[in-house]
Amino acid sequence: MANWQCVKQCGACCNLDPAERPDLEEYLSPAELAQYLSMVGEDGWCINFDHSSRECSIYPNRPRFCRVEPETFQDMYGVEPEELDDFAIDCCREQIEGVYGDRSLEILRFNKAIGF
Ligand code: SF4
Ligand code: SF4
């Protein structure tokens, strides 16, 4: 089993375009959904995403739904801790391929980092 990890110079999951995430209401509380929508910029990217560094400008204070942590994923998606790596890897792949493409440098770097 591969271990999930976030790679630098990605940020694909900070593209929050709700049109690409039709099931938001299934895993976010009403308050979180409001917070999520308040963070979506006109271009679909999170307003807290720094495009030059490709990093989160509020990282220590980012919302719960931005955190890849066992408790969060169990609460939001019903994923057991032992399934977290596989689930998070699938999420990242889907998001990276959707934002940057399935032959992008970003997906190549992610696959390499997790050992695929
Ligand atoms: S999509 Fe995955 S690898 Fe890319 S920034 Fe988000 S968590 Fe990190
Ligand atoms: S708050 Fe930070 S981690 Fe969450 S989507 Fe925005 S830029 Fe990304």
Side-chain angles (χ1 to χ4, degrees):
M1 187 186 80
N3 293 320
W4 171 83
Q5 64 172 283
C6 178
V7 295
K8 295 266 179 207
Q9 290 291 303
C10 176
C13 54
C14 303
N15 186 305
L16 303 178
D17 187 353
E20 302 294 328
R21 304 190 191 199
D23 49 358
L24 284 171
E25 287 175 24
E26 289 174 20
Y27 56 84
L28 297 181
S29 69
E32 285 177 328
L33 181 59
Q35 184 182 23
Y36 181 105
L37 295 175
S38 76
M39 293 177 5
V40 184
E42 280 183 15
D43 55 3
W45 286 89
C46 178
I47 55 174
N48 301 306
F49 184 62
D50 180 336
H51 286 270
S52 54
S53 65
R54 290 197 182 183
E55 288 180 354
C56 174
S57 61
I58 59 160
Y59 192 77
N61 301 313
R62 68 199 186 287
R64 182 182 87 121
F65 53 76
C66 295
R67 296 170 186 264
V68 182
E69 294 167 357
E71 266 186 34
T72 306
F73 271 55
Q74 196 159 31
D75 275 3
M76 291 202 309
Y77 309 116
V79 171
E80 297 300 328
E82 61 270 23
E83 299 165 345
L84 177 62
D85 280 302
D86 285 347
F87 187 87
I89 286 169
D90 286 347
C91 288
C92 283
R93 281 209 168 123
E94 191 178 323
Q95 195 65 20
I96 295 169
E97 290 180 3
V99 172
Y100 296 121
D102 62 4
R103 303 184 73 177
S104 59
L105 198 55
E106 288 82 1
I107 195 69
L108 292 177
R109 285 197 292 108
F110 181 74
N111 283 336
K112 189 175 174 199
I114 59 170
F116 272 56

